[in-house]
Amino acid sequence: MAYDEGLAERVRALLGTGPDIAEKRMFGGLAFLLRGNMAVGVTGDDLMVRVGPDATDAALARPGTRLFDMTGRPMRGWVVIAGQAVAEDDALRAWVAQGRDFAAGLPPK
């Protein structure tokens, strides 16, 4: 599955390119890792965000979201946001910040 290069570039611009940030092809898309922990990813035209189990319900209440489910086993703590829901820079910035903040709270891998 291909991923939206434009969306990946927008995410890249928000995260920057410091030594703590890495990119890795995962889930048929592109994952962005902070100190080895996945924060956000681009899969198809959508954004995948690691929000953590405690923030899952609140994230799913926002427009254009669904629970991440690649293998038929939904994963709490991960949400997918439809590409059109992150078309505006402010919306994308908020989601990327949430994923980055959650990953920053995890021990480095």
Side-chain angles (χ1 to χ4, degrees):
M1 167 190 268
Y3 61 89
D4 183 334
E5 293 279 354
L7 180 56
E9 187 56 39
R10 292 173 60 214
V11 170
R12 193 175 290 119
L14 289 169
L15 288 174
T17 57
D20 289 344
I21 301 293
E23 296 179 21
K24 185 175 182 180
R25 291 188 182 270
M26 297 174 82
F27 308 115
L30 184 64
F32 293 87
L33 295 88
L34 175 65
R35 296 181 323 202
N37 293 294
M38 187 171 163
V40 297
V42 179
T43 180
D45 295 332
D46 300 331
L47 181 71
M48 183 172 45
V49 180
R50 188 172 187 183
V51 297
D54 294 341
T56 301
D57 291 337
L60 290 172
R62 293 168 63 183
T65 60
R66 68 182 186 276
L67 197 56
F68 176 67
D69 179 1
M70 181 157 286
T71 63
R73 293 176 42 190
M75 296 177 59
R76 284 194 61 78
W78 299 80
V79 294
V80 177
I81 300 92
Q84 58 268 45
V86 291
E88 298 295 325
D89 289 339
D90 287 343
L92 179 63
R93 186 177 299 109
W95 280 114
V96 169
Q98 187 170 359
R100 181 186 56 231
D101 291 348
F102 182 78
L106 298 172
K109 286 187 175 181

